[in-house]
């Protein structure tokens, strides 16, 4: 079954060669068309004008070929496992300085014709799970038409139709089996008139009813069901559901049209007309989600446009509202403490206010929310995961001073992002954190000690970089991308006493224009050229955090930076000095 569930459309291999500087190693990309049994390999040198590429390969357990010069895409179609190596003839590189990949081409026939069920009876197919039990399955020779780019054809017809009544027992080859479950994808794409589940049923597996329609519009969950896996009803959002009141594990209290895990008060499955009861304390993984993981299509989540999450809810799980593209307005619970990974991926949200009790925003939580132009993040948030706002529509962001690390790709690809405030609490900025944004200037506080690869790559509008750290932050790759001539067009402002250190630094020295920081003079703590209330808060944060204090923090000019400078700065603002 796995072979038809997971598809590799294309992989770009980012190579790490024994921890060495990899900027002049070639990059290998693989396009693996498993359904036609073809692998296309492209090898890209860093500098095509001066680098020749040499490559070789080994098939299965055979010998390596001789080194060959690369002159275009490579095509392989023999079924089996390959190893491939390449190196570039850049200065100082020899054939021992190589990069490599492994890949496998499988028989395309295996991808189309899959044996799943063990037998069929009265129009229903079953897979044997023990000497006495079976689960309902796909039929035994289920073929799907495959199309790019999303995998199995969205409208392929499933194996079941009409009124389906699953019996409690079934006889095969002289043995009576108890029907205990519904297998993964068993009713995928099925157009049913109605369905009746037996009182022997214990498990409804992952994506069992994905993209199924039920003309009756309802489904009854018997008391025997004890396990409903993530995404069991993905893309079945027009359904009405009712759980047997005698079920010890699940309920659908208050006619909410949802499935709730009783003991934990967790909503595990929701639908378009669900009303989240005020007794629910958590929303489970995939509860209202669309689906992009099955290999059978790319389905949207629930279609509601507005949602109020009651204050009883403390946690939103991974992918809970994944690809709910119509969701534009949401009111989050005041008691919410965590937002899971990819929770609101590709939703239509326009503005979000994160409640004051939230401490964690997961990886990719609001990524690809193209309409999300603003978000309020409180000081309670201590962790923002990688890619959290990647490719969103954010225009400006104030990162709270509760954050100590900006993770990888948090704002990657936010093409409308023109303003960001980084607090003095941040010590590290991850790879691609602001890659591809529209920033024209950036102030990096003195607390930052490390900046990741391409953290500000492709920031083509960037003309002003203020780095307040007296010790140049460590680099992990080219954190200001070479592309777009950023090093030439942007001016780097640094502390006067650190000018030489930046000019001689392995990475910072690439800036053509490095000048000592002047700003608006003493009191311009954040170096934006203006003295404002934000400078007061920055100075207080620096004093409380024990940060290394720049010379321009000595507002009163007594040679000591302390609380007296804070009061002097406040007086300056009050008196318009």
């Amino acid at each position: 079954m796995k072979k038809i569930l997971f598809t590799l459309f294309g992989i770009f291999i980012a190579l790490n060669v024994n921890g060495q500087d990899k900027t002049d190693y070639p990059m290998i990309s693989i396009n693996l068309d498993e359904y036609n049994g073809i692998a296309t390999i492209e090898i890209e040198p860093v500098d095509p004008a001066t680098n020749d590429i040499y490559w070789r390969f080994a098939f299965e357990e055979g010998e390596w070929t001789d080194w060959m010069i690369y002159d275009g895409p490579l095509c392989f179609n023999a079924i089996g496992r390959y190893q491939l190596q390449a190196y570039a003839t850049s200065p100082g590189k020899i054939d021992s300085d190589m990069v490599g990949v492994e890949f496998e081409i499988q028989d395309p026939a295996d991808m189309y014709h899959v044996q799943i069920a063990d037998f069929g009876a009265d129009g229903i197919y079953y897979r044997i799970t023990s000497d006495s039990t079976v689960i309902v399955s796909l039929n035994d020779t289920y073929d799907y038409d495959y199309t790019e780019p999303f995998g199995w054809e969205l409208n392929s017809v499933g194996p079941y139709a009409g009124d389906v009544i699953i019996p409690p027992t079934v006889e095969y080859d002289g043995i009576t089996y108890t029907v205990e479950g519904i297998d993964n994808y068993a009713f995928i794409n099925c157009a049913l008139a109605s369905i009746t589940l037996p009182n022997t049923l214990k498990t409804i597996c992952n994506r069992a009813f994905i993209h199924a329609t039920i003309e009756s519009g309802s489904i009854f969950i018997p008391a025997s069901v004890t396990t409903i896996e993530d995404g069991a009803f993905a893309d079945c959002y027009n359904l009405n559901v009712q759980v047997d009141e005698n079920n010890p594990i699940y309920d659908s209290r208050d006619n909410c049209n949802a499935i709730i895990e009783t003991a934990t008060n967790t909503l595990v499955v929701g639908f378009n007309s669900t009303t989240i009861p005020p007794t629910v304390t958590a929303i489970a993984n995939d509860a209202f989600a669309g689906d992009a993981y099955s290999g059978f299509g790319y389905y949207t989540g629930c279609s509601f446009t507005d949602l109020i999450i009651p204050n009883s809810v403390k946690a939103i799980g991974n992918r809970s509202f994944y690809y709910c593209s119509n969701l534009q307005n949401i009111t989050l619970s005041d008691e919410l403490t965590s937002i899971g990974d990819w929770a609101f991926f590709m939703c239509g949200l326009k503005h979000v206010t994160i409640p004051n009790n939230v401490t964690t925003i997961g990886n990719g939580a609001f990524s690809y929310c193209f309409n999300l132009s603003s978000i309020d993040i409180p000081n309670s948030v201590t962790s923002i995961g990688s890619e959290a706002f990647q490719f969103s529509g954010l225009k400006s962001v104030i990162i709270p001073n509760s954050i100590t690390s900006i993770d990888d790709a948090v704002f990657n690809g936010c093409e409308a992002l023109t303003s960001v405030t980084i607090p003095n609490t941040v010590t590290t900025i991850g790879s691609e954190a602001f890659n591809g944004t529209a920033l024209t200037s950036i102030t990096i506080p003195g607390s930052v000690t490390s900046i990741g690869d391409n953290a500000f790559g492709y920031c083509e509008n960037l003309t002003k970089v203020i780095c307040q750290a007296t010790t140049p932050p460590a680099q992990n790759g080219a954190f200001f991308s070479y592309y777009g001539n950023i090093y030439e067009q942007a001016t780097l402002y640094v502390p006067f006493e650190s000018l030489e250190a930046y000019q001689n630094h392995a990475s910072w020295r690439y800036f053509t224009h490095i000048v000592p920081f002047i700003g608006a003079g003493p009191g311009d703590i954040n170096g934006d050229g203006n003295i404002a209330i934000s400078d007061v808060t920055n100075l207080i944060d620096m004093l409380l955090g024990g940060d290394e204090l720049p010379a321009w923090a000595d507002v009163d000019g007594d040679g000591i930076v302390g609380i007296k400078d804070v009061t002097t700065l406040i007086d300056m603002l009050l008196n318009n000095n």
Side-chain angles (χ1 to χ4, degrees), residues 221 228 233 241 243 250-251 257-261 266-269:
I221 308 298
I228 299 175
F233 295 94
V241 67
V243 179
Y250 301 106
D251 67 79
N257 192 34
I259 301 174
I260 299 169
E261 189 177 66
T266 299
L267 190 152
V268 295
V269 181

Side-chain angles (χ1 to χ4, degrees), residues 59 155 185 264 274 384 413-414 493:
F59 179 66
N155 297 315
Y185 306 96
T264 62
T274 291
I384 300 176
C414 294
Y493 296 86

Side-chain angles (χ1 to χ4, degrees), residues 96-325:
S96 62
D97 295 319
M98 66 185 72
V99 292
V101 294
E102 294 185 7
F103 59 94
E104 183 177 0
I105 298 177
Q106 298 180 354
D107 187 342
D110 292 342
M111 309 303 295
Y112 289 103
H113 184 85
V114 181
Q115 182 78 22
I116 298 171
D118 293 306
F119 68 93
D122 297 326
I124 298 177
Y125 299 91
Y126 301 92
R127 184 161 61 86
I128 298 172
T129 53
S130 76
D131 291 341
S132 60
T133 60
V134 294
I135 61 176
V136 177
S137 179
L138 292 167
N139 66 352
D140 58 349
T141 56
Y142 196 44
D143 297 336
Y144 274 110
D145 295 328
Y146 179 78
T147 59
E148 297 284 1
F150 294 131
W152 302 102
E153 182 63 51
L154 194 67
N155 297 315
S156 296
V157 178
Y160 302 106
D163 296 304
V164 174
I165 300 175
I166 301 175
T169 61
V170 62
E171 185 174 335
Y172 174 69
D173 202 19
I175 301 174
T176 298
Y177 294 93
T178 301
V179 180
E180 287 193 340
I182 299 175
D183 205 355
N184 301 326
Y185 306 96
F187 289 93
I188 181 174
N189 290 337
C190 291
L192 309 176
S194 66
I195 187 165
T196 302
L197 307 181
N199 57 13
T200 57
L201 195 70
K202 294 182 179 180
T203 302
I204 301 176
C205 291
N206 178 282
R207 293 167 174 80
F209 288 91
I210 183 171
H211 198 51
T213 58
I214 302 176
E215 187 177 342
S216 68
S218 64
I219 190 168
F220 183 80
I221 308 298
S224 56
V225 173
T226 57
T227 301
I228 299 175
E229 295 184 354
D230 293 351
F233 295 94
D235 199 42
C236 300
Y237 304 116
N238 291 320
L239 275 178
N240 291 303
V241 67
Q242 184 68 38
V243 179
D244 190 314
E245 63 182 12
N246 295 313
N247 189 300
I249 305 299
Y250 301 106
D251 67 79
S252 51
R253 66 191 70 168
D254 304 331
N255 294 316
C256 61
N257 192 34
I259 301 174
I260 299 169
E261 189 177 66
T262 305
T264 62
N265 293 309
T266 299
L267 190 152
V268 295
V269 181
F271 302 91
N272 283 336
S273 58
T274 291
T275 300
I276 303 173
T279 50
V280 166
T281 59
I283 298 174
N285 298 345
D286 299 296
F288 294 91
D291 185 274
Y293 297 103
S294 64
F296 288 103
Y298 200 103
Y299 306 127
T300 58
C302 285
S303 63
F304 40 66
T305 59
D306 301 271
L307 183 67
I308 297 175
I309 298 179
N311 288 335
S312 56
V313 175
K314 296 183 178 180
I316 294 176
N318 299 337
R319 304 175 307 277
S320 292
F321 297 92
Y322 187 98
Y323 204 8
C324 290
S325 57

Side-chain angles (χ1 to χ4, degrees), residues 480-549:
F480 288 90
S481 172
Y482 292 103
Y483 301 99
N485 298 316
I486 293 174
Y487 285 107
E488 289 77 20
Q489 74 182 24
T491 299
L492 172 62
Y493 296 86
V494 301
F496 179 83
E497 64 269 32
S498 304
L499 179 60
E500 187 175 348
Y502 279 88
Q503 289 173 334
N504 295 326
H505 190 274
S507 292
W508 292 99
R509 64 183 175 85
Y510 286 115
F511 278 94
T512 302
H513 309 290
I514 306 177
V515 299
F517 175 90
I518 298 175
D524 185 6
I525 308 301
N526 60 15
D528 63 359
N530 298 297
I531 297 176
I533 192 65
S534 59
D535 294 296
V536 177
T537 57
N538 278 343
L539 181 53
I540 292 172
D541 288 342
M542 293 169 73
L543 289 168
L544 293 176
D547 297 335
E548 187 174 359
L549 298 165

Side-chain angles (χ1 to χ4, degrees), residues 335-354:
E335 299 301 316
L336 190 66
T337 61
S338 63
I339 298 173
D341 296 344
W342 312 98
F344 294 97
F345 171 87
M346 209 174 279
C347 287
L349 296 167
K350 298 178 180 178
H351 171 78
V352 174
T353 298
I354 305 295

